[in-house]
Amino acid sequence: MAPLSTSVPFELLDRYGQSSSGCPFSPSGLVSDRSFCETLYREALAELASAPDDDLALYVHVPFCHVRCLYCACDTTITHSEEKVDGYLDALEREFGRVAELIGQGRRVVQLHVGGGTPNHLNEPQLARLMEIVEHHFTLAPDACTSIECNPRRASAGQLDLLYGLGFKRVSFGVQDLNTDVQRAIGRLQSLGMVRDVYHTARDTGFENISFDLIYGLPFQTAEGFRTTLDQVIDLAPDRISCFSYNHDPVRRPHQHAIDAAMLPSAEQKLALFRQAVEAFTKAGYRWVGLDLFVREGDELAVAQRAGQLHRTAIGYTPLPASRVLAFGPSGVGELGDVLVQNESDLRAWRGRLDAGQLPVAAGRRLGERERRRRDALVSLMCNMRLPAASAAALKEDQDRLLCDGDGGLVEVSQDGIRVTPEGRYLLHGLCVERGGSSGWGSTQWRSILVQ
């Protein structure tokens, strides 16, 4: 791996320093005509039905939390009603059944990710039912990558034991920051002792991969305080660590008005915090993958990146060749070849579409051949930090921008292809976003979501 830069040109921040969203994929450039989108999705599912041996990946969105964290950018509903969650599971079962009917029952799944929201907001019978729904309609491969996101404040020893028994091999915990002042400012108090106990309980339970999510750019974060959090996380030694950028957007997310914008780090301070994380984690033996994911050198993602074979789907980074991703639940994003679709984000609207006998897609788009090649080239560049000349031809329309980026020291363009420089890695999100619109992938499509 190329040496990491210790000097990032701050004058490029205005152009490339956009914040990423803190939640999974919200594709841009999609058509919002619901009738058109359902027809498009049915066509894509019919194509999938004609390829019964193709492996699948599943994303299930659980849209519930017990309380709203002030930094949150996810589609979620605050509820303490078990009946409301049961109603969601009823609708989810209908969605699974409808899709399985169109593509064939029992299709092989090599990756399952359950995200939210807070998936472990569900009680034990509800968690068991969720997995029963999945396994009734699909067949999980013996070596399938099965992962779930968890709030450590709700993760008991009994719940973790149940999740492991249900077949989850990987778990991700939302840690965010371990500084008490930061936690108070974002409405998420959780002590180091509690996080440590949950982590060791998960390790003792048998989970093969444990991940932490951190966020930089939060109110009251300082270099000294964030360094303490980084040291505490490194001491626990999770297998993977994501370090996401906080995006303050109270217009779209009114609950963020509760965060004092005056206490947020500046763009320069944010970049310094992220550089601090990169240096701390790489010195501790982690490899920087993609935008903001850090994994052990022996991790399958690190091995794939070194070989130039790391891939990215609508779920996240994967060493597997591009899979067909089916999404279930409100706001879920599916990716079926050249077709991108997104479900209704509103829980009531999503259920209403299912109650009416429809597929609950709210937006979608089929990429043209040139767009698809361009998207694949950009994803490869983001994953592997380089692009051979043959693949770089798909970015011909970006030539002027790439040459400008080369002048700024962010990429190197040569007869051999394109390579992201050490300086460019820190601004990779901005590099990709600026070119992402016409390919149908918006800014959040480039953030690193754990393939837990």
Side-chain angles (χ1 to χ4, degrees):
M1 184 171 65
L4 297 175
S5 171
T6 58
S7 177
V8 179
F10 286 117
E11 65 270 15
L12 296 176
L13 281 176
D14 287 341
R15 182 176 178 188
Y16 296 110
Q18 301 99 326
S19 296
S20 63
S21 164
C23 204
F25 311 134
S26 299
S28 68
L30 304 189
V31 177
S32 298
D33 183 303
R34 283 161 172 76
S35 177
F36 167 83
C37 294
E38 181 169 6
T39 298
L40 177 65
Y41 191 30
R42 287 183 179 274
E43 290 173 353
L45 292 175
E47 294 169 8
L48 183 57
S50 68
D53 295 330
D54 283 6
D55 289 336
L56 306 179
L58 306 183
Y59 173 74
V60 182
H61 188 76
V62 179
F64 300 109
C65 293
H66 70 288
V67 67
R68 169 77 73 174
C69 298
L70 300 182
Y71 62 86
C72 182
C74 296
D75 291 306
T76 191
T77 298
I78 308 305
T79 186
H80 299 277
S81 168
E82 292 186 2
E83 291 77 12
K84 192 166 191 174
V85 177
D86 288 336
Y88 154 79
L89 291 171
D90 291 340
L92 187 70
E93 189 163 19
R94 290 196 295 275
E95 185 179 14
F96 264 86
R98 206 153 290 159
V99 170
E101 182 180 0
L102 293 171
I103 67 172
Q105 195 79 11
R107 291 288 296 265
R108 173 183 158 96
V109 171
V110 296
Q111 184 180 4
L112 167 68
H113 182 69
V114 180
T118 305
N120 67 325
H121 178 75
L122 275 58
N123 61 33
E124 293 189 356
Q126 290 167 340
L127 288 167
R129 186 184 173 196
L130 188 152
M131 284 303 292
E132 288 172 0
I133 292 171
V134 172
E135 294 180 320
H136 178 73
H137 296 289
F138 293 90
T139 301
L140 290 174
D143 58 347
C145 174
T146 49
S147 57
I148 188 168
E149 300 170 9
C150 287
N151 183 334
R153 297 182 296 177
R154 298 185 65 84
S156 66
Q159 184 188 71
L160 291 171
D161 189 59
L162 171 69
L163 291 172
Y164 184 74
L166 289 173
F168 287 102
K169 302 172 185 175
R170 305 184 179 196
V171 61
S172 170
F173 295 114
V175 174
Q176 324 315 353
D177 194 299
L178 291 168
N179 181 278
T180 304
D181 291 335
V182 175
Q183 290 180 354
R184 286 198 185 98
I186 63 175
R188 191 182 176 101
L189 286 170
Q190 49 191 27
S191 69
L192 170 62
M194 184 271 292
V195 172
R196 182 190 293 115
D197 288 346
V198 169
Y199 169 80
H200 286 302
T201 299
R203 189 66 80 190
D204 293 342
T205 299
F207 286 95
E208 65 183 38
N209 191 293
I210 301 175
S211 304
F212 281 1
D213 288 352
L214 300 180
I215 298 178
Y216 67 97
L218 294 172
F220 294 100
Q221 274 183 337
T222 64
E224 181 180 0
F226 197 51
R227 177 68 218 199
T228 299
T229 288
L230 298 176
D231 289 342
Q232 291 166 336
V233 168
I234 289 170
D235 184 60
L236 289 174
D239 301 289
R240 295 179 181 177
I241 306 164
S242 284
C243 194
F244 302 135
S245 170
Y246 171 63
N247 181 21
H248 190 64
D249 188 3
V251 174
R252 292 179 56 202
R253 307 175 187 105
H255 57 277
Q256 291 184 355
H257 280 294
I259 288 179
D260 185 354
M263 296 297 103
L264 295 173
S266 66
E268 292 86 355
Q269 290 169 332
K270 280 186 68 175
L271 184 56
L273 290 171
F274 183 59
R275 185 192 307 155
Q276 190 177 15
V278 172
E279 293 174 352
F281 292 140
T282 53
K283 286 180 181 178
Y286 290 90
R287 183 181 181 87
W288 184 8
V289 172
L291 296 178
D292 37 30
L293 177 62
F294 302 87
V295 304
R296 293 295 188 184
E297 284 291 345
D299 190 289
E300 60 184 0
L301 298 183
V303 173
Q305 188 188 57
R306 284 195 295 270
Q309 296 177 349
L310 185 64
H311 301 280
R312 175 70 181 257
T313 71
I315 293 178
Y317 297 105
T318 174
L320 303 173
S323 301
R324 313 288 189 96
V325 180
L326 295 171
F328 300 89
S331 77
V333 173
E335 181 185 2
L336 300 174
D338 57 0
V339 173
L340 305 176
V341 292
Q342 182 172 32
N343 276 350
E344 298 278 1
S345 296
D346 181 77
L347 176 61
R348 184 175 298 178
W350 172 78
R351 286 191 60 181
R353 296 283 300 281
L354 289 166
D355 291 343
Q358 302 171 0
L359 293 171
V361 287
R365 183 179 182 186
R366 185 184 290 274
L367 303 181
E369 179 62 22
R370 190 173 73 171
E371 287 181 311
R372 184 190 60 77
R373 290 199 305 268
R374 185 164 174 261
R375 179 199 63 178
D376 292 347
L378 286 169
V379 170
S380 180
L381 184 64
M382 183 187 70
C383 289
N384 300 301
M385 303 300 123
R386 62 185 187 274
L387 195 63
S391 300
L395 300 181
K396 185 176 181 180
E397 63 189 86
D398 299 281
Q399 182 175 357
D400 291 342
R401 284 178 180 168
L402 287 170
L403 290 174
C404 181
D405 297 340
D407 292 340
L410 303 182
V411 299
E412 292 179 353
V413 182
S414 69
Q415 291 183 342
D416 296 327
I418 304 169
R419 184 183 74 87
V420 178
T421 66
E423 291 80 6
R425 289 212 64 179
Y426 287 95
L427 302 174
L428 184 60
H429 173 266
L431 289 172
C432 293
V433 168
E434 189 162 343
R435 303 179 184 87
S438 66
S439 64
W441 293 67
S443 61
T444 56
Q445 206 72 15
W446 302 103
R447 78 179 275 275
S448 172
I449 297 193
L450 294 174
V451 188
Q452 321 296 1

